[in-house]
Amino acid sequence: MDSRYWQEELETMPRPQLEALQMEKLKTAVARSMNSKFYKEFFGSKGLSEKSIDGLDDIQKFPFTTKDDLRDNWPFGLMATSVDECVRMHCTSGTTGNPAAVLYNRHDLDSWANLMARSMWSSGARPNDVFQNMSGYGLFTGGLGFQYGAEKLGMLTIPAAAGNSKRQIYLMQSFGTTAAHSVPSYLGRLYAVFQEMGLDPRKDTKLKRLFIGAEPHSEETRQRIQEMFGAKAYNSFGMTEMNGPGVAFECECQAGMHIWEDCYLIEIIDPDTLQRVPDGEWGEMVLTTLDRQAMPVIRYRTHDLTRIIPGDCACGRTHKRFDRIKGRTDDMFIVKGCNIFPIQIERVLMNFPEIGTDYLIELTNEQGDDMTVKAELKPELFTDNYPELESLKRKIASILRDTILVTPKIQLVPHGTLPKSEGKAKRVLDLRKQ
Ligand code: AMP
Ligand code: ZN
């Protein structure tokens, strides 16, 4: 099989047929969900059931499910089948209170692995690729999610897990890794280790494609990653509550992420009015699982901000695409009355070739609202008397002022000195709240 598609019929299904399939699956998902303690009461008390659905738009009659609903019903409240039938669980990191747990039966795991295989295939991965998964394993879904999908696709799969850059490079070189998955924030650090070792990933590895996701990142960061590694980087979107990765993925066109609409129903709402916005307009993504048996989730508020990209994709897939996530509603912070998303700052920083890929935004209260942007200078540039340091700082501050309407303090620090995390990067340190 070397078609352009993993499941041609499903991926290129004409919209009327795809929507009819969604409608049928939506009714089943709602009916199933009402086997759970939570949805039986949540929908039942409002007189809602699958009988309330005559068209896809009728989903709007249903209330939203929130992360608090999942936490408050930890661990089994949303289960629509018996726990005995389940074979796996994952959960969110849950730094405050209960995490949100997801359980999967055999069907759910097969369906998830298939979506992952379909996703990676759409960006050009093939069975003769050697795939290295540099994602945390364990409760985080990026490990096992990619692992089973890559095996299903037929790639030799290296479960390298996160961190330990020298070993990552050793594995890459020994096994001839051609495709890899990582959070984008790790790749800058990995590249620095290549450099320290006197290696150039463009020449000294066989990398052709990178799958990057799990955290917001800008187009500028993607470009950087592509240049550093001489490989194409494809955006991968997922969240634990929706299985994990494999919800939406960029195809070879790199023109937004196709959401697999035979398995998810997507809506974009205005987070204030909670009403739907038309395709093309930005808002909060709301997702409904259409193929999950053990734990269907209906109208889940993701808090992720994106928009549907209008028009068709050149790849021939008919599943809608959504734009790069510009942030989460809860990522936004306010300084001197201006609403700011970290990614706006990232975009400016990544346009300065002197700056590395790690940065941190610190919010303090010393004189009213204060904001310091700390960024690492590339290792080859940082010397105590780098002559252009002051003028570089002024340039960055001035472009940031034009972009976010606030002039932050800029601190350029030596490479490798900002705090690092093995999983998702923490970009904002809000000391005002402490
Ligand atoms: P988790 O369930 O811990 O994997 O976190 C899911 C969240 O990670 C999503 O709701 C998004 O906020 C974020 N996320 C996942 N993939 C992406 C991506 N490709 N771009 C931006 N944010 C992402
Ligand atoms: Zn496409």
Side-chain angles (χ1 to χ4, degrees), residues 5-7 11 110-126 145-146 148-155 211 245-246 249 260:
Y5 310 101
W6 175 253
Q7 290 168 294
E11 291 170 52
D110 289 345
S111 166
W112 182 20
N114 181 61
L115 287 180
M116 277 310 306
R118 190 199 283 177
S119 296
M120 289 187 278
W121 187 281
S122 80
S123 65
R126 293 294 179 267
F146 268 88
Y148 284 96
E151 289 178 6
K152 188 166 182 86
L153 194 152
M155 295 187 279
F211 309 125
F249 219 85
W260 301 124

PDB file of all heavy atoms in Angstrom, residues 5-7 11 110-126 145-146 148-155 211 245-246 249 260:
ATOM      1  N   TYR A   5      -3.165   8.123   1.026  1.00  0.00           N
ATOM      2  CA  TYR A   5      -4.043   8.097   2.204  1.00  0.00           C
ATOM      3  C   TYR A   5      -3.903   6.787   2.967  1.00  0.00           C
ATOM      4  O   TYR A   5      -3.640   5.741   2.383  1.00  0.00           O
ATOM      5  CB  TYR A   5      -5.508   8.261   1.774  1.00  0.00           C
ATOM      6  CG  TYR A   5      -5.721   9.441   0.853  1.00  0.00           C
ATOM      7  CD1 TYR A   5      -5.858   9.260  -0.527  1.00  0.00           C
ATOM      8  CD2 TYR A   5      -5.759  10.738   1.361  1.00  0.00           C
ATOM      9  CE1 TYR A   5      -6.033  10.346  -1.375  1.00  0.00           C
ATOM     10  CE2 TYR A   5      -5.940  11.822   0.515  1.00  0.00           C
ATOM     11  CZ  TYR A   5      -6.072  11.623  -0.853  1.00  0.00           C
ATOM     12  OH  TYR A   5      -6.237  12.702  -1.676  1.00  0.00           O
ATOM     13  N   TRP A   6      -4.167   6.845   4.247  1.00  0.00           N
ATOM     14  CA  TRP A   6      -4.208   5.637   5.081  1.00  0.00           C
ATOM     15  C   TRP A   6      -5.571   4.966   4.913  1.00  0.00           C
ATOM     16  O   TRP A   6      -5.660   3.761   4.789  1.00  0.00           O
ATOM     17  CB  TRP A   6      -3.956   6.049   6.534  1.00  0.00           C
ATOM     18  CG  TRP A   6      -4.064   4.966   7.569  1.00  0.00           C
ATOM     19  CD1 TRP A   6      -5.074   4.812   8.483  1.00  0.00           C
ATOM     20  CD2 TRP A   6      -3.125   3.907   7.834  1.00  0.00           C
ATOM     21  NE1 TRP A   6      -4.822   3.732   9.295  1.00  0.00           N
ATOM     22  CE2 TRP A   6      -3.625   3.168   8.919  1.00  0.00           C
ATOM     23  CE3 TRP A   6      -1.914   3.532   7.263  1.00  0.00           C
ATOM     24  CZ2 TRP A   6      -2.968   2.061   9.447  1.00  0.00           C
ATOM     25  CZ3 TRP A   6      -1.247   2.430   7.791  1.00  0.00           C
ATOM     26  CH2 TRP A   6      -1.776   1.698   8.862  1.00  0.00           C
ATOM     27  N   GLN A   7      -6.641   5.758   4.911  1.00  0.00           N
ATOM     28  CA  GLN A   7      -8.002   5.248   4.694  1.00  0.00           C
ATOM     29  C   GLN A   7      -8.681   6.184   3.694  1.00  0.00           C
ATOM     30  O   GLN A   7      -9.413   7.093   4.078  1.00  0.00           O
ATOM     31  CB  GLN A   7      -8.784   5.256   6.009  1.00  0.00           C
ATOM     32  CG  GLN A   7      -8.304   4.242   7.011  1.00  0.00           C
ATOM     33  CD  GLN A   7      -8.912   4.486   8.377  1.00  0.00           C
ATOM     34  OE1 GLN A   7      -8.640   5.495   9.026  1.00  0.00           O
ATOM     35  NE2 GLN A   7      -9.768   3.574   8.801  1.00  0.00           N
ATOM     36  N   GLU A  11     -11.048   9.411   4.465  1.00  0.00           N
ATOM     37  CA  GLU A  11     -10.353  10.706   4.491  1.00  0.00           C
ATOM     38  C   GLU A  11     -10.822  11.654   3.390  1.00  0.00           C
ATOM     39  O   GLU A  11     -10.724  12.864   3.531  1.00  0.00           O
ATOM     40  CB  GLU A  11      -8.832  10.488   4.384  1.00  0.00           C
ATOM     41  CG  GLU A  11      -8.255   9.833   5.619  1.00  0.00           C
ATOM     42  CD  GLU A  11      -6.805   9.399   5.445  1.00  0.00           C
ATOM     43  OE1 GLU A  11      -5.984  10.238   5.032  1.00  0.00           O
ATOM     44  OE2 GLU A  11      -6.497   8.224   5.716  1.00  0.00           O
ATOM     45  N   ASP A 110      -7.837   0.666  19.814  1.00  0.00           N
ATOM     46  CA  ASP A 110      -7.620   0.378  18.387  1.00  0.00           C
ATOM     47  C   ASP A 110      -7.931   1.617  17.551  1.00  0.00           C
ATOM     48  O   ASP A 110      -7.213   1.953  16.610  1.00  0.00           O
ATOM     49  CB  ASP A 110      -8.522  -0.783  17.921  1.00  0.00           C
ATOM     50  CG  ASP A 110      -8.059  -2.109  18.513  1.00  0.00           C
ATOM     51  OD1 ASP A 110      -6.924  -2.167  19.021  1.00  0.00           O
ATOM     52  OD2 ASP A 110      -8.845  -3.082  18.471  1.00  0.00           O
ATOM     53  N   SER A 111      -9.022   2.278  17.888  1.00  0.00           N
ATOM     54  CA  SER A 111      -9.445   3.467  17.142  1.00  0.00           C
ATOM     55  C   SER A 111      -8.388   4.578  17.277  1.00  0.00           C
ATOM     56  O   SER A 111      -8.043   5.258  16.300  1.00  0.00           O
ATOM     57  CB  SER A 111     -10.801   3.921  17.696  1.00  0.00           C
ATOM     58  OG  SER A 111     -11.120   5.202  17.262  1.00  0.00           O
ATOM     59  N   TRP A 112      -7.852   4.733  18.477  1.00  0.00           N
ATOM     60  CA  TRP A 112      -6.832   5.767  18.722  1.00  0.00           C
ATOM     61  C   TRP A 112      -5.550   5.463  17.929  1.00  0.00           C
ATOM     62  O   TRP A 112      -4.997   6.328  17.250  1.00  0.00           O
ATOM     63  CB  TRP A 112      -6.560   5.835  20.224  1.00  0.00           C
ATOM     64  CG  TRP A 112      -5.577   6.869  20.672  1.00  0.00           C
ATOM     65  CD1 TRP A 112      -5.171   7.982  19.992  1.00  0.00           C
ATOM     66  CD2 TRP A 112      -4.875   6.885  21.934  1.00  0.00           C
ATOM     67  NE1 TRP A 112      -4.259   8.686  20.754  1.00  0.00           N
ATOM     68  CE2 TRP A 112      -4.072   8.038  21.938  1.00  0.00           C
ATOM     69  CE3 TRP A 112      -4.867   6.046  23.057  1.00  0.00           C
ATOM     70  CZ2 TRP A 112      -3.245   8.370  23.033  1.00  0.00           C
ATOM     71  CZ3 TRP A 112      -4.058   6.378  24.139  1.00  0.00           C
ATOM     72  CH2 TRP A 112      -3.257   7.526  24.117  1.00  0.00           C
ATOM     73  N   ALA A 113      -5.113   4.203  17.984  1.00  0.00           N
ATOM     74  CA  ALA A 113      -3.896   3.833  17.249  1.00  0.00           C
ATOM     75  C   ALA A 113      -4.104   4.064  15.749  1.00  0.00           C
ATOM     76  O   ALA A 113      -3.214   4.543  15.036  1.00  0.00           O
ATOM     77  CB  ALA A 113      -3.535   2.374  17.519  1.00  0.00           C
ATOM     78  N   ASN A 114      -5.310   3.752  15.278  1.00  0.00           N
ATOM     79  CA  ASN A 114      -5.603   3.961  13.861  1.00  0.00           C
ATOM     80  C   ASN A 114      -5.536   5.448  13.497  1.00  0.00           C
ATOM     81  O   ASN A 114      -4.981   5.822  12.456  1.00  0.00           O
ATOM     82  CB  ASN A 114      -6.995   3.394  13.540  1.00  0.00           C
ATOM     83  CG  ASN A 114      -7.326   3.558  12.080  1.00  0.00           C
ATOM     84  OD1 ASN A 114      -6.640   3.021  11.219  1.00  0.00           O
ATOM     85  ND2 ASN A 114      -8.355   4.355  11.778  1.00  0.00           N
ATOM     86  N   LEU A 115      -6.096   6.299  14.381  1.00  0.00           N
ATOM     87  CA  LEU A 115      -6.049   7.743  14.102  1.00  0.00           C
ATOM     88  C   LEU A 115      -4.613   8.260  14.096  1.00  0.00           C
ATOM     89  O   LEU A 115      -4.251   9.124  13.290  1.00  0.00           O
ATOM     90  CB  LEU A 115      -6.862   8.532  15.135  1.00  0.00           C
ATOM     91  CG  LEU A 115      -8.373   8.426  15.009  1.00  0.00           C
ATOM     92  CD1 LEU A 115      -9.057   9.253  16.099  1.00  0.00           C
ATOM     93  CD2 LEU A 115      -8.845   8.902  13.640  1.00  0.00           C
ATOM     94  N   MET A 116      -3.798   7.714  14.980  1.00  0.00           N
ATOM     95  CA  MET A 116      -2.386   8.132  15.013  1.00  0.00           C
ATOM     96  C   MET A 116      -1.665   7.688  13.742  1.00  0.00           C
ATOM     97  O   MET A 116      -0.853   8.419  13.188  1.00  0.00           O
ATOM     98  CB  MET A 116      -1.676   7.549  16.239  1.00  0.00           C
ATOM     99  CG  MET A 116      -1.852   8.319  17.522  1.00  0.00           C
ATOM    100  SD  MET A 116      -1.519  10.084  17.349  1.00  0.00           S
ATOM    101  CE  MET A 116       0.113  10.109  16.645  1.00  0.00           C
ATOM    102  N   ALA A 117      -1.962   6.469  13.298  1.00  0.00           N
ATOM    103  CA  ALA A 117      -1.324   5.973  12.070  1.00  0.00           C
ATOM    104  C   ALA A 117      -1.783   6.833  10.891  1.00  0.00           C
ATOM    105  O   ALA A 117      -0.986   7.273  10.061  1.00  0.00           O
ATOM    106  CB  ALA A 117      -1.698   4.506  11.846  1.00  0.00           C
ATOM    107  N   ARG A 118      -3.079   7.117  10.847  1.00  0.00           N
ATOM    108  CA  ARG A 118      -3.627   7.953   9.770  1.00  0.00           C
ATOM    109  C   ARG A 118      -2.956   9.333   9.778  1.00  0.00           C
ATOM    110  O   ARG A 118      -2.625   9.891   8.726  1.00  0.00           O
ATOM    111  CB  ARG A 118      -5.136   8.108   9.996  1.00  0.00           C
ATOM    112  CG  ARG A 118      -5.862   8.735   8.832  1.00  0.00           C
ATOM    113  CD  ARG A 118      -7.219   9.293   9.255  1.00  0.00           C
ATOM    114  NE  ARG A 118      -8.249   8.283   9.441  1.00  0.00           N
ATOM    115  CZ  ARG A 118      -9.486   8.577   9.864  1.00  0.00           C
ATOM    116  NH1 ARG A 118      -9.815   9.832  10.131  1.00  0.00           N
ATOM    117  NH2 ARG A 118     -10.384   7.629  10.020  1.00  0.00           N
ATOM    118  N   SER A 119      -2.766   9.872  10.975  1.00  0.00           N
ATOM    119  CA  SER A 119      -2.180  11.210  11.111  1.00  0.00           C
ATOM    120  C   SER A 119      -0.759  11.237  10.556  1.00  0.00           C
ATOM    121  O   SER A 119      -0.394  12.094   9.746  1.00  0.00           O
ATOM    122  CB  SER A 119      -2.139  11.618  12.590  1.00  0.00           C
ATOM    123  OG  SER A 119      -3.436  11.736  13.106  1.00  0.00           O
ATOM    124  N   MET A 120       0.054  10.289  11.014  1.00  0.00           N
ATOM    125  CA  MET A 120       1.468  10.313  10.595  1.00  0.00           C
ATOM    126  C   MET A 120       1.593   9.976   9.117  1.00  0.00           C
ATOM    127  O   MET A 120       2.444  10.527   8.421  1.00  0.00           O
ATOM    128  CB  MET A 120       2.285   9.362  11.466  1.00  0.00           C
ATOM    129  CG  MET A 120       2.439   9.915  12.877  1.00  0.00           C
ATOM    130  SD  MET A 120       3.554   8.939  13.911  1.00  0.00           S
ATOM    131  CE  MET A 120       2.476   7.635  14.432  1.00  0.00           C
ATOM    132  N   TRP A 121       0.728   9.094   8.644  1.00  0.00           N
ATOM    133  CA  TRP A 121       0.730   8.765   7.208  1.00  0.00           C
ATOM    134  C   TRP A 121       0.428  10.024   6.396  1.00  0.00           C
ATOM    135  O   TRP A 121       1.044  10.276   5.350  1.00  0.00           O
ATOM    136  CB  TRP A 121      -0.316   7.672   6.932  1.00  0.00           C
ATOM    137  CG  TRP A 121      -0.287   7.139   5.539  1.00  0.00           C
ATOM    138  CD1 TRP A 121      -0.813   7.727   4.417  1.00  0.00           C
ATOM    139  CD2 TRP A 121       0.314   5.910   5.089  1.00  0.00           C
ATOM    140  NE1 TRP A 121      -0.585   6.940   3.316  1.00  0.00           N
ATOM    141  CE2 TRP A 121       0.106   5.815   3.704  1.00  0.00           C
ATOM    142  CE3 TRP A 121       0.998   4.877   5.742  1.00  0.00           C
ATOM    143  CZ2 TRP A 121       0.561   4.731   2.942  1.00  0.00           C
ATOM    144  CZ3 TRP A 121       1.437   3.805   4.990  1.00  0.00           C
ATOM    145  CH2 TRP A 121       1.228   3.746   3.606  1.00  0.00           C
ATOM    146  N   SER A 122      -0.523  10.835   6.910  1.00  0.00           N
ATOM    147  CA  SER A 122      -0.938  12.032   6.152  1.00  0.00           C
ATOM    148  C   SER A 122       0.227  13.013   6.003  1.00  0.00           C
ATOM    149  O   SER A 122       0.262  13.800   5.068  1.00  0.00           O
ATOM    150  CB  SER A 122      -2.135  12.719   6.812  1.00  0.00           C
ATOM    151  OG  SER A 122      -1.719  13.512   7.902  1.00  0.00           O
ATOM    152  N   SER A 123       1.168  12.961   6.923  1.00  0.00           N
ATOM    153  CA  SER A 123       2.313  13.864   6.784  1.00  0.00           C
ATOM    154  C   SER A 123       3.494  13.148   6.131  1.00  0.00           C
ATOM    155  O   SER A 123       4.621  13.641   6.176  1.00  0.00           O
ATOM    156  CB  SER A 123       2.699  14.470   8.126  1.00  0.00           C
ATOM    157  OG  SER A 123       3.141  13.453   8.968  1.00  0.00           O
ATOM    158  N   GLY A 124       3.238  11.997   5.556  1.00  0.00           N
ATOM    159  CA  GLY A 124       4.259  11.370   4.714  1.00  0.00           C
ATOM    160  C   GLY A 124       5.037  10.231   5.351  1.00  0.00           C
ATOM    161  O   GLY A 124       5.922   9.664   4.700  1.00  0.00           O
ATOM    162  N   ALA A 125       4.744   9.876   6.606  1.00  0.00           N
ATOM    163  CA  ALA A 125       5.475   8.760   7.226  1.00  0.00           C
ATOM    164  C   ALA A 125       5.042   7.450   6.558  1.00  0.00           C
ATOM    165  O   ALA A 125       3.873   7.281   6.199  1.00  0.00           O
ATOM    166  CB  ALA A 125       5.181   8.706   8.722  1.00  0.00           C
ATOM    167  N   ARG A 126       5.993   6.539   6.390  1.00  0.00           N
ATOM    168  CA  ARG A 126       5.731   5.260   5.732  1.00  0.00           C
ATOM    169  C   ARG A 126       6.406   4.148   6.519  1.00  0.00           C
ATOM    170  O   ARG A 126       7.321   4.422   7.320  1.00  0.00           O
ATOM    171  CB  ARG A 126       6.263   5.270   4.277  1.00  0.00           C
ATOM    172  CG  ARG A 126       5.518   6.236   3.346  1.00  0.00           C
ATOM    173  CD  ARG A 126       4.062   5.820   3.118  1.00  0.00           C
ATOM    174  NE  ARG A 126       3.340   6.733   2.250  1.00  0.00           N
ATOM    175  CZ  ARG A 126       2.610   7.777   2.664  1.00  0.00           C
ATOM    176  NH1 ARG A 126       2.512   8.063   3.948  1.00  0.00           N
ATOM    177  NH2 ARG A 126       1.970   8.543   1.802  1.00  0.00           N
ATOM    178  N   GLY A 145       0.526   6.941  22.978  1.00  0.00           N
ATOM    179  CA  GLY A 145      -0.312   7.312  21.829  1.00  0.00           C
ATOM    180  C   GLY A 145       0.471   7.212  20.528  1.00  0.00           C
ATOM    181  O   GLY A 145       0.046   6.577  19.560  1.00  0.00           O
ATOM    182  N   PHE A 146       1.649   7.834  20.494  1.00  0.00           N
ATOM    183  CA  PHE A 146       2.484   7.774  19.284  1.00  0.00           C
ATOM    184  C   PHE A 146       3.063   6.376  19.089  1.00  0.00           C
ATOM    185  O   PHE A 146       3.210   5.909  17.968  1.00  0.00           O
ATOM    186  CB  PHE A 146       3.612   8.812  19.362  1.00  0.00           C
ATOM    187  CG  PHE A 146       3.240  10.131  18.738  1.00  0.00           C
ATOM    188  CD1 PHE A 146       2.613  11.120  19.472  1.00  0.00           C
ATOM    189  CD2 PHE A 146       3.497  10.373  17.392  1.00  0.00           C
ATOM    190  CE1 PHE A 146       2.245  12.334  18.887  1.00  0.00           C
ATOM    191  CE2 PHE A 146       3.141  11.576  16.795  1.00  0.00           C
ATOM    192  CZ  PHE A 146       2.522  12.553  17.547  1.00  0.00           C
ATOM    193  N   TYR A 148       1.858   3.290  19.781  1.00  0.00           N
ATOM    194  CA  TYR A 148       0.968   2.314  19.146  1.00  0.00           C
ATOM    195  C   TYR A 148       0.595   2.727  17.723  1.00  0.00           C
ATOM    196  O   TYR A 148       0.442   1.881  16.846  1.00  0.00           O
ATOM    197  CB  TYR A 148      -0.276   2.071  20.014  1.00  0.00           C
ATOM    198  CG  TYR A 148       0.043   1.199  21.211  1.00  0.00           C
ATOM    199  CD1 TYR A 148       0.327   1.751  22.452  1.00  0.00           C
ATOM    200  CD2 TYR A 148       0.100  -0.186  21.078  1.00  0.00           C
ATOM    201  CE1 TYR A 148       0.659   0.950  23.538  1.00  0.00           C
ATOM    202  CE2 TYR A 148       0.433  -0.994  22.158  1.00  0.00           C
ATOM    203  CZ  TYR A 148       0.716  -0.420  23.388  1.00  0.00           C
ATOM    204  OH  TYR A 148       1.049  -1.219  24.450  1.00  0.00           O
ATOM    205  N   GLY A 149       0.464   4.040  17.498  1.00  0.00           N
ATOM    206  CA  GLY A 149       0.152   4.509  16.141  1.00  0.00           C
ATOM    207  C   GLY A 149       1.295   4.216  15.179  1.00  0.00           C
ATOM    208  O   GLY A 149       1.093   3.767  14.045  1.00  0.00           O
ATOM    209  N   ALA A 150       2.527   4.446  15.640  1.00  0.00           N
ATOM    210  CA  ALA A 150       3.692   4.231  14.785  1.00  0.00           C
ATOM    211  C   ALA A 150       3.866   2.743  14.485  1.00  0.00           C
ATOM    212  O   ALA A 150       4.205   2.356  13.358  1.00  0.00           O
ATOM    213  CB  ALA A 150       4.936   4.789  15.467  1.00  0.00           C
ATOM    214  N   GLU A 151       3.616   1.904  15.495  1.00  0.00           N
ATOM    215  CA  GLU A 151       3.721   0.456  15.262  1.00  0.00           C
ATOM    216  C   GLU A 151       2.653   0.007  14.278  1.00  0.00           C
ATOM    217  O   GLU A 151       2.902  -0.819  13.401  1.00  0.00           O
ATOM    218  CB  GLU A 151       3.567  -0.311  16.583  1.00  0.00           C
ATOM    219  CG  GLU A 151       4.760  -0.139  17.502  1.00  0.00           C
ATOM    220  CD  GLU A 151       4.576  -0.858  18.842  1.00  0.00           C
ATOM    221  OE1 GLU A 151       3.577  -1.580  19.020  1.00  0.00           O
ATOM    222  OE2 GLU A 151       5.441  -0.676  19.720  1.00  0.00           O
ATOM    223  N   LYS A 152       1.440   0.565  14.440  1.00  0.00           N
ATOM    224  CA  LYS A 152       0.356   0.188  13.524  1.00  0.00           C
ATOM    225  C   LYS A 152       0.706   0.594  12.092  1.00  0.00           C
ATOM    226  O   LYS A 152       0.440  -0.143  11.143  1.00  0.00           O
ATOM    227  CB  LYS A 152      -0.958   0.840  13.960  1.00  0.00           C
ATOM    228  CG  LYS A 152      -2.147   0.344  13.187  1.00  0.00           C
ATOM    229  CD  LYS A 152      -3.456   0.735  13.860  1.00  0.00           C
ATOM    230  CE  LYS A 152      -4.630   0.168  13.087  1.00  0.00           C
ATOM    231  NZ  LYS A 152      -4.961  -1.197  13.466  1.00  0.00           N
ATOM    232  N   LEU A 153       1.297   1.755  11.946  1.00  0.00           N
ATOM    233  CA  LEU A 153       1.690   2.200  10.611  1.00  0.00           C
ATOM    234  C   LEU A 153       2.775   1.276  10.037  1.00  0.00           C
ATOM    235  O   LEU A 153       2.894   1.106   8.827  1.00  0.00           O
ATOM    236  CB  LEU A 153       2.197   3.647  10.697  1.00  0.00           C
ATOM    237  CG  LEU A 153       2.353   4.410   9.390  1.00  0.00           C
ATOM    238  CD1 LEU A 153       2.179   5.918   9.621  1.00  0.00           C
ATOM    239  CD2 LEU A 153       3.687   4.187   8.706  1.00  0.00           C
ATOM    240  N   GLY A 154       3.560   0.704  10.946  1.00  0.00           N
ATOM    241  CA  GLY A 154       4.561  -0.272  10.496  1.00  0.00           C
ATOM    242  C   GLY A 154       5.990   0.211  10.574  1.00  0.00           C
ATOM    243  O   GLY A 154       6.894  -0.403  10.014  1.00  0.00           O
ATOM    244  N   MET A 155       6.210   1.330  11.297  1.00  0.00           N
ATOM    245  CA  MET A 155       7.584   1.858  11.398  1.00  0.00           C
ATOM    246  C   MET A 155       8.335   1.130  12.504  1.00  0.00           C
ATOM    247  O   MET A 155       7.743   0.735  13.508  1.00  0.00           O
ATOM    248  CB  MET A 155       7.533   3.357  11.752  1.00  0.00           C
ATOM    249  CG  MET A 155       6.898   4.196  10.666  1.00  0.00           C
ATOM    250  SD  MET A 155       7.031   5.975  11.003  1.00  0.00           S
ATOM    251  CE  MET A 155       5.677   6.237  12.137  1.00  0.00           C
ATOM    252  N   PHE A 211       7.389  15.460  14.233  1.00  0.00           N
ATOM    253  CA  PHE A 211       6.018  15.739  14.637  1.00  0.00           C
ATOM    254  C   PHE A 211       6.111  16.540  15.925  1.00  0.00           C
ATOM    255  O   PHE A 211       6.709  16.083  16.905  1.00  0.00           O
ATOM    256  CB  PHE A 211       5.248  14.439  14.859  1.00  0.00           C
ATOM    257  CG  PHE A 211       5.363  13.500  13.682  1.00  0.00           C
ATOM    258  CD1 PHE A 211       5.817  12.197  13.851  1.00  0.00           C
ATOM    259  CD2 PHE A 211       5.039  13.931  12.399  1.00  0.00           C
ATOM    260  CE1 PHE A 211       5.939  11.341  12.762  1.00  0.00           C
ATOM    261  CE2 PHE A 211       5.170  13.085  11.300  1.00  0.00           C
ATOM    262  CZ  PHE A 211       5.618  11.788  11.492  1.00  0.00           C
ATOM    263  N   PRO A 245      -2.908  12.493  21.568  1.00  0.00           N
ATOM    264  CA  PRO A 245      -2.619  12.967  20.206  1.00  0.00           C
ATOM    265  C   PRO A 245      -3.467  12.216  19.179  1.00  0.00           C
ATOM    266  O   PRO A 245      -4.087  11.208  19.515  1.00  0.00           O
ATOM    267  CB  PRO A 245      -1.126  12.638  20.029  1.00  0.00           C
ATOM    268  CG  PRO A 245      -0.849  11.554  21.016  1.00  0.00           C
ATOM    269  CD  PRO A 245      -1.762  11.807  22.184  1.00  0.00           C
ATOM    270  N   GLY A 246      -3.492  12.750  17.937  1.00  0.00           N
ATOM    271  CA  GLY A 246      -4.269  12.061  16.901  1.00  0.00           C
ATOM    272  C   GLY A 246      -5.650  12.661  16.706  1.00  0.00           C
ATOM    273  O   GLY A 246      -6.456  12.144  15.944  1.00  0.00           O
ATOM    274  N   PHE A 249      -4.038  16.788  12.819  1.00  0.00           N
ATOM    275  CA  PHE A 249      -2.635  16.666  12.407  1.00  0.00           C
ATOM    276  C   PHE A 249      -2.449  17.374  11.081  1.00  0.00           C
ATOM    277  O   PHE A 249      -3.358  17.385  10.250  1.00  0.00           O
ATOM    278  CB  PHE A 249      -2.324  15.177  12.205  1.00  0.00           C
ATOM    279  CG  PHE A 249      -0.956  14.744  12.666  1.00  0.00           C
ATOM    280  CD1 PHE A 249      -0.729  14.400  13.988  1.00  0.00           C
ATOM    281  CD2 PHE A 249       0.101  14.632  11.761  1.00  0.00           C
ATOM    282  CE1 PHE A 249       0.519  13.956  14.419  1.00  0.00           C
ATOM    283  CE2 PHE A 249       1.350  14.193  12.178  1.00  0.00           C
ATOM    284  CZ  PHE A 249       1.562  13.850  13.514  1.00  0.00           C
ATOM    285  N   TRP A 260      -9.982  14.942  12.526  1.00  0.00           N
ATOM    286  CA  TRP A 260     -10.594  13.706  11.984  1.00  0.00           C
ATOM    287  C   TRP A 260     -12.071  13.690  12.348  1.00  0.00           C
ATOM    288  O   TRP A 260     -12.460  13.275  13.432  1.00  0.00           O
ATOM    289  CB  TRP A 260      -9.824  12.487  12.480  1.00  0.00           C
ATOM    290  CG  TRP A 260      -8.383  12.528  12.074  1.00  0.00           C
ATOM    291  CD1 TRP A 260      -7.305  12.462  12.901  1.00  0.00           C
ATOM    292  CD2 TRP A 260      -7.857  12.652  10.729  1.00  0.00           C
ATOM    293  NE1 TRP A 260      -6.139  12.537  12.161  1.00  0.00           N
ATOM    294  CE2 TRP A 260      -6.444  12.651  10.833  1.00  0.00           C
ATOM    295  CE3 TRP A 260      -8.422  12.764   9.457  1.00  0.00           C
ATOM    296  CZ2 TRP A 260      -5.605  12.767   9.722  1.00  0.00           C
ATOM    297  CZ3 TRP A 260      -7.585  12.879   8.356  1.00  0.00           C
ATOM    298  CH2 TRP A 260      -6.199  12.872   8.487  1.00  0.00           C
TER     299      TRP A 260
END
